[in-house]
Amino acid sequence: MTTAQTLAAGLMDYDEAIQTYDPVLGLEVHVELGTVTKMFCGCPTDFGAEPNTQICPICLALPGAMPAVNRTAVEYAIRIGLALNCEIASWCRFARKNYFYPDMPKNFQTSQYDEPIATNGYLDVKIDGQTVRVDIERAHMEEDTGKSTHVGGATGRIHGAEYSLLDYNRAGVPLVEIVTKPIVGTKALAPQVARAYVTALRDLLSSLGVSDVRMDQGSLRCDANVSLTPAGNPLFGTRTETKNVNSLRSVERAVRYEITRQAALLATGTRIVQETRHFDETTGTTSPGRSKETAEDYRYFPEPDLVPLAPEREWVEAIRASLPELPWIRRARMQADWGLTDLQMRDLLASDAVDLVAATVDAGASPAEATSWWSSYLGQQANVRGVALNELPITPAQLAAVIAKVVDGPLNTKIARQVVDGVLAGEGEPDEVIAARGLAVMSDDGALHAAVDEALAAQPAVADKIRSGKLQAVGAIVGAVMKATRGQADAAKVRQLVLSTLGVEG
Ligand code: ADP
Ligand code: MG
Ligand code: ZN
């Protein structure tokens, strides 16, 4: 199927496509594990280092270099398998997947093939109050490739590029690939199910502490397989595989686009070709990549340089016992503990604020205060800076310290915001900001008395009016005191002081 054919066929209206065809999905998610070192050598895995500074003879596959398996990576893979309700193999092996790619120095990828570490699990995904069980075929270990940058072309792809740059820092970073069984019966919900599955998986992996799950940095990547079959037909159609979709929203858009594209082709009698495709974030469309290899093309064979893995049962059971509370169960518990409505909880989730609120509550703040700060003032600050909430340079402990000062009196909300501004601006801990900026509500009665006396002396006519009972004149004095104290006094208290100073009943 050529691009010209796609253009000629156009796209079918989504609703019409769903009436005519049943979509079948298959999702392959690659997660980069957050281990300190690589899968088979001691090189660091930090993201964003100078190109080719985190490499050694093993991950460059120099002659004679011998790999050794990273135990933590195996432990993380088992954690993932257990959390996905998989069986953990008592014996499994690595395999060589042979293919040439310039960013893969070995000329093969060390992966797992017919003997993966985890098989036959499931993940329950909530969508519109309904639960869809996504069956997991397997989760297997492998290593990442390096990264190529194609320079000089219009698209950033190799075709049309003038030259390519290769960075092997990522080569050998541990990956786990999680592959679903075909997901059937989702009909019109297919794009949302795909997104909800990747979201749930991301949250699960994050709670397991095995990865930073940053889709924007490639720590979590999704390949979305989509095929259509005439409605009611149990036989699957030919699938396409849209590679490396790198945001949750894109997963949904890519699946939806493929449904409308394939439907239009099928309706005109065009066969779908099994191929990989690229998703273009800007246009929301997919375009052809390479026609898909079959497993035979890869000439898989057991990796001769690594011994098989046989995780002891006690170890697996110890890992199972250490699994954290599942994120959705934790969330339901928090919503109840914090007394939030579904809508409030959904807003917190949408802004990724749940963990921050939880940590702020753990640091001593009330759930109401913590929720309100993260969802309103700090939400605005994150927006203004174009960063995620958890990238704001303030910790839950710092926020809890500010909140405590509001509750105990020395700060009011307005001044507390200035303290937070100071922390965000890198001026130090809340106490340092308060001292340096001279903040804090003036609770020192002596200073406040002096300010009131000064304001009354400066406006004797107003003072007389108040003495004669014209209480509406008090506002002018209160205003003057607030101005003199740069808004740090408590206005109600000032009013009371003015009246008592003049011997007038409030
Ligand atoms: P590949 O090596 O091509 O990536 P995998 O087995 O790793 O193959 O992954 C294929 C994915 O596509 C799996 O999630 C599988 O369940 C799914 N799948 C298989 N056949 C179809 C189909 N006809 N339509 C949609 N998805 C499919
Ligand atoms: Mg695959
Ligand atoms: Zn190395």
Side-chain angles (χ1 to χ4, degrees):
M1 158 190 36
T2 62
T3 308
Q5 278 173 307
T6 298
L7 287 177
L11 301 175
M12 189 183 279
D13 170 71
Y14 185 74
D15 294 335
E16 190 187 340
I18 291 299
Q19 273 159 26
T20 323
Y21 302 103
D22 288 341
V24 176
L25 300 175
L27 298 164
E28 300 168 67
V29 169
H30 285 90
V31 57
E32 266 183 13
L33 301 182
T35 52
V36 177
T37 56
K38 292 187 182 180
M39 187 75 223
F40 302 115
C41 64
C43 289
T45 56
D46 306 324
F47 178 82
E50 271 289 291
N52 298 311
T53 55
Q54 300 180 156
I55 52 176
C56 76
I58 296 170
C59 53
L60 286 184
L62 300 187
M66 289 293 270
V69 176
N70 180 335
R71 182 182 167 96
T72 307
V74 177
E75 180 181 331
Y76 284 5
I78 295 174
R79 274 176 96 77
I80 294 170
L82 290 172
L84 290 171
N85 309 291
C86 289
E87 296 150 30
I88 304 301
S90 52
W91 191 94
C92 67
R93 274 194 295 196
F94 286 97
R96 288 191 183 184
K97 183 181 186 183
N98 296 280
Y99 61 108
F100 171 78
Y101 239 61
D103 54 19
M104 197 177 61
K106 291 178 177 175
N107 240 7
F108 59 84
Q109 181 186 30
T110 308
S111 181
Q112 293 194 297
Y113 179 48
D114 49 354
E115 297 155 318
I117 188 145
T119 49
N120 287 326
Y122 61 85
L123 181 63
D124 283 334
V125 174
K126 281 242 159 54
I127 174 161
D128 286 348
Q130 155 192 356
T131 301
V132 178
R133 174 157 295 188
V134 175
D135 287 317
I136 307 289
E137 181 171 300
R138 64 175 192 273
H140 69 252
M141 289 180 283
E142 58 185 33
E143 57 179 339
D144 214 341
T145 58
K147 193 169 167 31
S148 1
T149 307
H150 306 298
V151 186
T155 58
R157 288 165 59 182
I158 195 164
H159 185 79
E162 280 167 33
Y163 60 93
S164 298
L165 299 168
L166 290 168
D167 174 9
Y168 292 113
N169 284 350
R170 203 179 63 182
V173 166
L175 292 179
V176 165
E177 179 176 348
I178 299 151
V179 184
T180 68
K181 293 187 177 157
I183 307 167
V184 299
T186 58
K187 301 214 186 282
L189 286 179
Q192 285 160 273
V193 168
R195 178 184 187 150
Y197 166 77
V198 180
T199 308
L201 187 56
R202 180 195 65 163
D203 293 351
L204 178 66
L205 294 167
S206 170
S207 78
L208 294 175
V210 295
S211 169
D212 67 11
V213 298
R214 294 274 305 255
M215 290 189 90
D216 58 326
Q217 294 186 352
S219 309
L220 192 77
R221 315 194 280 267
C222 175
D223 301 341
N225 294 268
V226 178
S227 69
L228 296 182
T229 188
N233 186 340
L235 292 179
F236 294 167
T238 303
R239 67 185 157 110
T240 61
E241 179 183 353
T242 304
K243 302 290 280 185
N244 292 336
V245 186
N246 59 11
S247 76
L248 296 170
R249 180 166 167 260
S250 296
V251 172
E252 181 173 346
R253 289 170 83 206
V255 168
R256 192 182 169 96
Y257 180 82
E258 271 302 286
I259 291 173
T260 57
R261 188 188 69 85
Q262 292 184 16
L265 287 166
L266 292 171
T268 57
T270 313
R271 279 185 47 220
I272 306 295
V273 175
Q274 189 173 340
E275 64 183 356
T276 66
R277 297 184 69 85
H278 293 272
F279 181 67
D280 184 325
E281 302 266 342
T282 332
T283 58
T285 63
T286 65
S287 57
R290 60 189 152 90
S291 68
K292 189 69 189 186
E293 294 84 355
T294 60
E296 297 86 78
D297 296 331
Y298 289 124
R299 291 156 42 243
Y300 279 103
F301 62 86
E303 169 58 60
D305 285 347
L306 291 166
V307 292
L309 290 177
E312 304 114 47
R313 285 297 102 180
E314 302 85 76
W315 189 37
V316 174
E317 290 316 311
I319 297 172
R320 192 195 303 277
S322 75
L323 289 181
E325 191 178 17
L326 291 172
W328 35 95
I329 292 176
R330 174 167 172 260
R331 256 181 242 143
R333 180 173 58 77
M334 286 177 167
Q335 185 180 344
D337 284 357
W338 299 346
L340 300 181
T341 64
D342 286 353
L343 191 67
Q344 286 171 319
M345 194 64 189
R346 205 177 312 153
D347 286 347
L348 283 191
L349 286 169
S351 57
D352 271 332
V354 175
D355 288 340
L356 293 165
V357 171
T360 309
V361 171
D362 285 346
S366 73
E369 288 280 356
T371 308
S372 142
W373 274 92
W374 285 112
S375 52
S376 55
Y377 191 65
L378 289 168
Q380 290 158 22
Q381 297 307 307
N383 261 344
V384 168
R385 289 152 200 254
V387 299
L389 267 185
N390 65 4
E391 290 168 338
L392 282 175
I394 183 166
T395 64
Q398 288 171 325
L399 178 62
V402 175
I403 291 172
K405 289 191 197 307
V406 177
V407 175
D408 298 343
L411 300 183
N412 61 28
T413 304
K414 191 168 148 229
I415 298 173
R417 287 185 179 168
Q418 295 176 38
V419 178
V420 165
D421 290 343
V423 175
L424 293 175
E427 293 167 25
E429 292 298 316
D431 280 335
E432 295 171 298
V433 176
I434 291 168
R437 291 196 178 194
L439 296 172
V441 174
M442 206 174 275
S443 55
D444 170 359
D445 282 356
L448 214 50
H449 270 119
V452 168
D453 289 345
E454 215 170 284
L456 288 171
Q459 304 187 63
V462 178
D464 283 342
K465 268 193 194 160
I466 300 171
R467 268 195 207 92
S468 69
K470 294 201 174 107
L471 292 189
Q472 63 273 36
V474 175
I477 303 296
V478 173
V481 172
M482 296 305 286
K483 199 170 167 200
T485 58
R486 283 177 296 137
Q488 293 173 34
D490 177 338
K493 191 165 178 185
V494 172
R495 181 187 159 85
Q496 206 193 328
L497 256 184
V498 172
L499 295 176
S500 63
T501 306
L502 296 174
V504 179
E505 283 287 310

